[in-house]
Amino acid sequence: MVKETILTGIRVNGELTLGNYLGALLPMVRLTNKYSAYAKANVFVPDLHAIITDIDGSLKANLLKSIKYYLAAGLVITPNVSIYRQSYIPAHSELTWILNCFANMGEVSRMIQYKEKGDGKDSANVGIFDYPILMAADILLYDAVYVPVGKDQFQHLELTRNLAERFNHRIGRDVFTLPVATAEQAKFMGVKDGICIRDLQNPEKKMSKSTAAENSKIMLSDAPEAAAKKIMSATTDNVSKVQFDMFNQPGISNLLQILAFIRNQPLSEVAAGWAGVTQYGEFKTAVAEEVKGFLIDFQARVAEISDEEVLSALENGEKKASKVAETKLYEVQRAVGLR
Ligand code: TYM
């Protein structure tokens, strides 16, 4: 039985994609509901992470909406579950500073997300560079062991483990708990490797909110009918076999994994159900209908959740999370001699 803390956060820059939903949000909800009788589960909004990209006035509304998404996905709030905003718990920023002083320029410069988002430009803001350290602080403050994230965040999890190990080694005792290695994280999420939902038009790439082409991504706010059309126009191949082979058939494999995750069915089982089918039209129609049905239900559930309900969950969660974070921060401050 899992008793260790489970934790995740999703940045709220604009609307979320189906990739965010299937790669992190839904696994977090399913794992929290499964284990929160024994394990603590922290669901938080990394609002300080959100401001590394353009500030356009939508943050406050998006923040409430992202919590509604967790609730609409079925998150059950028990006494072991804390929902909170990162910026409401100043220990996150303070621990980031301390961890900065244990991190090397070289290792942080190697982060793929930094390379992609900063694009190697001198004009990239320092927040883009430093955001993995803030992420490490988010995790280490709560002794989180399981961190459901998509595959693109695995490198940051490894960095978190390295920082924690280095800190513990220098201090000479285990101040921080290490999250488990990424292979074990994937296993915990019930997948072989990390989850990566692909771009519908360029399935070699991940589905990303920052991709300009609307046809490439499904947003959780998409009109269900429009989302179905995007699935119908997704890039496939000319192999004429519905099977899971991400290397040779990334488009078809991506649609298979979308179907499996939404239905909460093992990928192998879903793929087996389509074995022998050579017409992609029939298969795409089934995926399109599944996505459409999911969006209709999901959006109706989101609309039923009030801002008040979300704010009250946040205020309760922030009280609980602050206590844990402050205790850990104090231990760290003492360890480095600040207290
Ligand atoms: P972010 O906001 O870029 O993405 C949020 C989550 O969605 C996952 N994700 C995907 N998963 C599968 N397929 C995709 N196409 C896809 N696109 C995005 C991401 O892997 C992630 O899990 N730094 C983090 C947020 C964060 C965090 C944390 C996460 C801040 N502190 C502490 C966990 C623990 C980020 O920018 O993710």
PDB file of all heavy atoms in Angstrom, residues 121-143:
ATOM      1  N   LYS A 121      18.300  32.272 -26.341  1.00  0.00           N
ATOM      2  CA  LYS A 121      18.437  33.726 -26.548  1.00  0.00           C
ATOM      3  C   LYS A 121      18.919  34.429 -25.277  1.00  0.00           C
ATOM      4  O   LYS A 121      18.511  34.073 -24.171  1.00  0.00           O
ATOM      5  CB  LYS A 121      17.085  34.331 -26.933  1.00  0.00           C
ATOM      6  CG  LYS A 121      16.597  33.907 -28.296  1.00  0.00           C
ATOM      7  CD  LYS A 121      15.376  34.757 -28.671  1.00  0.00           C
ATOM      8  CE  LYS A 121      14.641  34.157 -29.842  1.00  0.00           C
ATOM      9  NZ  LYS A 121      13.301  33.707 -29.509  1.00  0.00           N
ATOM     10  N   ASP A 122      19.711  35.462 -25.442  1.00  0.00           N
ATOM     11  CA  ASP A 122      20.148  36.282 -24.309  1.00  0.00           C
ATOM     12  C   ASP A 122      18.960  36.972 -23.662  1.00  0.00           C
ATOM     13  O   ASP A 122      18.990  37.339 -22.497  1.00  0.00           O
ATOM     14  CB  ASP A 122      21.132  37.360 -24.792  1.00  0.00           C
ATOM     15  CG  ASP A 122      22.560  36.826 -24.780  1.00  0.00           C
ATOM     16  OD1 ASP A 122      22.748  35.669 -24.343  1.00  0.00           O
ATOM     17  OD2 ASP A 122      23.464  37.573 -25.203  1.00  0.00           O
ATOM     18  N   SER A 123      17.916  37.193 -24.459  1.00  0.00           N
ATOM     19  CA  SER A 123      16.759  37.926 -23.933  1.00  0.00           C
ATOM     20  C   SER A 123      15.823  37.041 -23.103  1.00  0.00           C
ATOM     21  O   SER A 123      14.878  37.538 -22.502  1.00  0.00           O
ATOM     22  CB  SER A 123      15.976  38.545 -25.094  1.00  0.00           C
ATOM     23  OG  SER A 123      15.598  37.502 -25.970  1.00  0.00           O
ATOM     24  N   ALA A 124      16.087  35.715 -23.062  1.00  0.00           N
ATOM     25  CA  ALA A 124      15.222  34.818 -22.259  1.00  0.00           C
ATOM     26  C   ALA A 124      15.304  35.247 -20.800  1.00  0.00           C
ATOM     27  O   ALA A 124      16.385  35.597 -20.313  1.00  0.00           O
ATOM     28  CB  ALA A 124      15.700  33.369 -22.408  1.00  0.00           C
ATOM     29  N   ASN A 125      14.167  35.239 -20.103  1.00  0.00           N
ATOM     30  CA  ASN A 125      14.227  35.688 -18.715  1.00  0.00           C
ATOM     31  C   ASN A 125      14.845  34.630 -17.798  1.00  0.00           C
ATOM     32  O   ASN A 125      14.844  33.436 -18.106  1.00  0.00           O
ATOM     33  CB  ASN A 125      12.862  36.213 -18.228  1.00  0.00           C
ATOM     34  CG  ASN A 125      11.851  35.109 -18.000  1.00  0.00           C
ATOM     35  OD1 ASN A 125      12.088  34.178 -17.234  1.00  0.00           O
ATOM     36  ND2 ASN A 125      10.704  35.212 -18.659  1.00  0.00           N
ATOM     37  N   VAL A 126      15.369  35.093 -16.672  1.00  0.00           N
ATOM     38  CA  VAL A 126      16.076  34.196 -15.755  1.00  0.00           C
ATOM     39  C   VAL A 126      15.112  33.170 -15.153  1.00  0.00           C
ATOM     40  O   VAL A 126      15.500  32.056 -14.815  1.00  0.00           O
ATOM     41  CB  VAL A 126      16.813  35.018 -14.671  1.00  0.00           C
ATOM     42  CG1 VAL A 126      17.515  34.112 -13.672  1.00  0.00           C
ATOM     43  CG2 VAL A 126      17.826  35.953 -15.329  1.00  0.00           C
ATOM     44  N   GLY A 127      13.823  33.551 -15.063  1.00  0.00           N
ATOM     45  CA  GLY A 127      12.810  32.626 -14.537  1.00  0.00           C
ATOM     46  C   GLY A 127      12.729  31.353 -15.379  1.00  0.00           C
ATOM     47  O   GLY A 127      12.570  30.253 -14.853  1.00  0.00           O
ATOM     48  N   ILE A 128      12.859  31.502 -16.686  1.00  0.00           N
ATOM     49  CA  ILE A 128      12.801  30.337 -17.582  1.00  0.00           C
ATOM     50  C   ILE A 128      13.963  29.388 -17.272  1.00  0.00           C
ATOM     51  O   ILE A 128      13.812  28.171 -17.277  1.00  0.00           O
ATOM     52  CB  ILE A 128      12.822  30.783 -19.065  1.00  0.00           C
ATOM     53  CG1 ILE A 128      11.491  31.451 -19.405  1.00  0.00           C
ATOM     54  CG2 ILE A 128      13.100  29.608 -20.006  1.00  0.00           C
ATOM     55  CD1 ILE A 128      11.365  31.924 -20.835  1.00  0.00           C
ATOM     56  N   PHE A 129      15.102  29.982 -16.971  1.00  0.00           N
ATOM     57  CA  PHE A 129      16.282  29.181 -16.630  1.00  0.00           C
ATOM     58  C   PHE A 129      16.082  28.477 -15.278  1.00  0.00           C
ATOM     59  O   PHE A 129      16.380  27.300 -15.109  1.00  0.00           O
ATOM     60  CB  PHE A 129      17.493  30.121 -16.579  1.00  0.00           C
ATOM     61  CG  PHE A 129      18.766  29.439 -16.182  1.00  0.00           C
ATOM     62  CD1 PHE A 129      19.397  28.570 -17.061  1.00  0.00           C
ATOM     63  CD2 PHE A 129      19.338  29.669 -14.936  1.00  0.00           C
ATOM     64  CE1 PHE A 129      20.578  27.931 -16.694  1.00  0.00           C
ATOM     65  CE2 PHE A 129      20.512  29.037 -14.571  1.00  0.00           C
ATOM     66  CZ  PHE A 129      21.135  28.162 -15.448  1.00  0.00           C
ATOM     67  N   ASP A 130      15.550  29.237 -14.324  1.00  0.00           N
ATOM     68  CA  ASP A 130      15.519  28.775 -12.930  1.00  0.00           C
ATOM     69  C   ASP A 130      14.295  27.936 -12.587  1.00  0.00           C
ATOM     70  O   ASP A 130      14.199  27.395 -11.491  1.00  0.00           O
ATOM     71  CB  ASP A 130      15.556  30.030 -12.025  1.00  0.00           C
ATOM     72  CG  ASP A 130      16.115  29.698 -10.651  1.00  0.00           C
ATOM     73  OD1 ASP A 130      16.938  28.771 -10.561  1.00  0.00           O
ATOM     74  OD2 ASP A 130      15.711  30.357  -9.689  1.00  0.00           O
ATOM     75  N   TYR A 131      13.336  27.802 -13.526  1.00  0.00           N
ATOM     76  CA  TYR A 131      12.080  27.176 -13.133  1.00  0.00           C
ATOM     77  C   TYR A 131      12.187  25.727 -12.671  1.00  0.00           C
ATOM     78  O   TYR A 131      11.455  25.308 -11.787  1.00  0.00           O
ATOM     79  CB  TYR A 131      10.988  27.487 -14.160  1.00  0.00           C
ATOM     80  CG  TYR A 131      10.527  26.404 -15.111  1.00  0.00           C
ATOM     81  CD1 TYR A 131       9.169  26.224 -15.343  1.00  0.00           C
ATOM     82  CD2 TYR A 131      11.411  25.595 -15.791  1.00  0.00           C
ATOM     83  CE1 TYR A 131       8.719  25.254 -16.230  1.00  0.00           C
ATOM     84  CE2 TYR A 131      10.970  24.631 -16.673  1.00  0.00           C
ATOM     85  CZ  TYR A 131       9.633  24.458 -16.891  1.00  0.00           C
ATOM     86  OH  TYR A 131       9.187  23.496 -17.758  1.00  0.00           O
ATOM     87  N   PRO A 132      13.177  24.946 -13.169  1.00  0.00           N
ATOM     88  CA  PRO A 132      13.288  23.583 -12.608  1.00  0.00           C
ATOM     89  C   PRO A 132      13.678  23.577 -11.127  1.00  0.00           C
ATOM     90  O   PRO A 132      13.366  22.633 -10.404  1.00  0.00           O
ATOM     91  CB  PRO A 132      14.401  22.938 -13.445  1.00  0.00           C
ATOM     92  CG  PRO A 132      14.534  23.777 -14.659  1.00  0.00           C
ATOM     93  CD  PRO A 132      14.131  25.161 -14.281  1.00  0.00           C
ATOM     94  N   ILE A 133      14.370  24.623 -10.687  1.00  0.00           N
ATOM     95  CA  ILE A 133      14.782  24.662  -9.262  1.00  0.00           C
ATOM     96  C   ILE A 133      13.548  24.956  -8.407  1.00  0.00           C
ATOM     97  O   ILE A 133      13.369  24.391  -7.326  1.00  0.00           O
ATOM     98  CB  ILE A 133      15.871  25.735  -9.014  1.00  0.00           C
ATOM     99  CG1 ILE A 133      16.995  25.623 -10.036  1.00  0.00           C
ATOM    100  CG2 ILE A 133      16.404  25.636  -7.580  1.00  0.00           C
ATOM    101  CD1 ILE A 133      17.870  24.400  -9.913  1.00  0.00           C
ATOM    102  N   LEU A 134      12.692  25.842  -8.908  1.00  0.00           N
ATOM    103  CA  LEU A 134      11.421  26.099  -8.202  1.00  0.00           C
ATOM    104  C   LEU A 134      10.597  24.812  -8.162  1.00  0.00           C
ATOM    105  O   LEU A 134       9.979  24.475  -7.140  1.00  0.00           O
ATOM    106  CB  LEU A 134      10.666  27.235  -8.910  1.00  0.00           C
ATOM    107  CG  LEU A 134       9.285  27.630  -8.402  1.00  0.00           C
ATOM    108  CD1 LEU A 134       9.291  28.003  -6.921  1.00  0.00           C
ATOM    109  CD2 LEU A 134       8.731  28.825  -9.221  1.00  0.00           C
ATOM    110  N   MET A 135      10.621  24.066  -9.234  1.00  0.00           N
ATOM    111  CA  MET A 135       9.890  22.788  -9.276  1.00  0.00           C
ATOM    112  C   MET A 135      10.477  21.818  -8.241  1.00  0.00           C
ATOM    113  O   MET A 135       9.738  21.108  -7.549  1.00  0.00           O
ATOM    114  CB  MET A 135       9.971  22.206 -10.689  1.00  0.00           C
ATOM    115  CG  MET A 135       9.337  20.850 -10.838  1.00  0.00           C
ATOM    116  SD  MET A 135       9.049  20.466 -12.582  1.00  0.00           S
ATOM    117  CE  MET A 135       8.743  18.715 -12.496  1.00  0.00           C
ATOM    118  N   ALA A 136      11.796  21.797  -8.123  1.00  0.00           N
ATOM    119  CA  ALA A 136      12.435  20.920  -7.130  1.00  0.00           C
ATOM    120  C   ALA A 136      11.975  21.334  -5.726  1.00  0.00           C
ATOM    121  O   ALA A 136      11.658  20.477  -4.888  1.00  0.00           O
ATOM    122  CB  ALA A 136      13.953  21.010  -7.253  1.00  0.00           C
ATOM    123  N   ALA A 137      11.918  22.641  -5.479  1.00  0.00           N
ATOM    124  CA  ALA A 137      11.468  23.126  -4.160  1.00  0.00           C
ATOM    125  C   ALA A 137      10.025  22.681  -3.907  1.00  0.00           C
ATOM    126  O   ALA A 137       9.685  22.226  -2.799  1.00  0.00           O
ATOM    127  CB  ALA A 137      11.586  24.642  -4.097  1.00  0.00           C
ATOM    128  N   ASP A 138       9.178  22.768  -4.934  1.00  0.00           N
ATOM    129  CA  ASP A 138       7.767  22.360  -4.799  1.00  0.00           C
ATOM    130  C   ASP A 138       7.665  20.916  -4.310  1.00  0.00           C
ATOM    131  O   ASP A 138       6.767  20.564  -3.550  1.00  0.00           O
ATOM    132  CB  ASP A 138       7.054  22.393  -6.168  1.00  0.00           C
ATOM    133  CG  ASP A 138       6.998  23.772  -6.793  1.00  0.00           C
ATOM    134  OD1 ASP A 138       7.081  24.758  -6.062  1.00  0.00           O
ATOM    135  OD2 ASP A 138       6.870  23.831  -8.042  1.00  0.00           O
ATOM    136  N   ILE A 139       8.573  20.095  -4.803  1.00  0.00           N
ATOM    137  CA  ILE A 139       8.522  18.656  -4.502  1.00  0.00           C
ATOM    138  C   ILE A 139       9.170  18.364  -3.141  1.00  0.00           C
ATOM    139  O   ILE A 139       8.604  17.662  -2.305  1.00  0.00           O
ATOM    140  CB  ILE A 139       9.246  17.873  -5.632  1.00  0.00           C
ATOM    141  CG1 ILE A 139       8.500  18.067  -6.960  1.00  0.00           C
ATOM    142  CG2 ILE A 139       9.389  16.397  -5.276  1.00  0.00           C
ATOM    143  CD1 ILE A 139       9.262  17.602  -8.195  1.00  0.00           C
ATOM    144  N   LEU A 140      10.350  18.953  -2.922  1.00  0.00           N
ATOM    145  CA  LEU A 140      11.141  18.586  -1.733  1.00  0.00           C
ATOM    146  C   LEU A 140      10.551  19.145  -0.437  1.00  0.00           C
ATOM    147  O   LEU A 140      10.731  18.568   0.631  1.00  0.00           O
ATOM    148  CB  LEU A 140      12.591  19.050  -1.918  1.00  0.00           C
ATOM    149  CG  LEU A 140      13.318  18.403  -3.113  1.00  0.00           C
ATOM    150  CD1 LEU A 140      14.718  18.982  -3.276  1.00  0.00           C
ATOM    151  CD2 LEU A 140      13.387  16.882  -2.966  1.00  0.00           C
ATOM    152  N   LEU A 141       9.816  20.257  -0.536  1.00  0.00           N
ATOM    153  CA  LEU A 141       9.203  20.841   0.673  1.00  0.00           C
ATOM    154  C   LEU A 141       8.237  19.875   1.341  1.00  0.00           C
ATOM    155  O   LEU A 141       7.989  19.967   2.532  1.00  0.00           O
ATOM    156  CB  LEU A 141       8.391  22.086   0.291  1.00  0.00           C
ATOM    157  CG  LEU A 141       9.072  23.433   0.311  1.00  0.00           C
ATOM    158  CD1 LEU A 141       8.086  24.500  -0.125  1.00  0.00           C
ATOM    159  CD2 LEU A 141       9.647  23.769   1.679  1.00  0.00           C
ATOM    160  N   TYR A 142       7.655  18.981   0.534  1.00  0.00           N
ATOM    161  CA  TYR A 142       6.589  18.115   1.071  1.00  0.00           C
ATOM    162  C   TYR A 142       7.012  16.650   1.138  1.00  0.00           C
ATOM    163  O   TYR A 142       6.161  15.779   1.309  1.00  0.00           O
ATOM    164  CB  TYR A 142       5.325  18.271   0.204  1.00  0.00           C
ATOM    165  CG  TYR A 142       4.841  19.703   0.182  1.00  0.00           C
ATOM    166  CD1 TYR A 142       5.262  20.585  -0.812  1.00  0.00           C
ATOM    167  CD2 TYR A 142       4.007  20.194   1.193  1.00  0.00           C
ATOM    168  CE1 TYR A 142       4.858  21.911  -0.815  1.00  0.00           C
ATOM    169  CE2 TYR A 142       3.590  21.516   1.186  1.00  0.00           C
ATOM    170  CZ  TYR A 142       4.027  22.371   0.180  1.00  0.00           C
ATOM    171  OH  TYR A 142       3.626  23.679   0.191  1.00  0.00           O
ATOM    172  N   ASP A 143       8.328  16.384   0.972  1.00  0.00           N
ATOM    173  CA  ASP A 143       8.813  14.995   0.967  1.00  0.00           C
ATOM    174  C   ASP A 143       8.041  14.131  -0.024  1.00  0.00           C
ATOM    175  O   ASP A 143       7.756  12.949   0.248  1.00  0.00           O
ATOM    176  CB  ASP A 143       8.712  14.362   2.371  1.00  0.00           C
ATOM    177  CG  ASP A 143       9.728  14.962   3.337  1.00  0.00           C
ATOM    178  OD1 ASP A 143      10.856  15.236   2.902  1.00  0.00           O
ATOM    179  OD2 ASP A 143       9.375  15.164   4.516  1.00  0.00           O
TER     180      ASP A 143
END
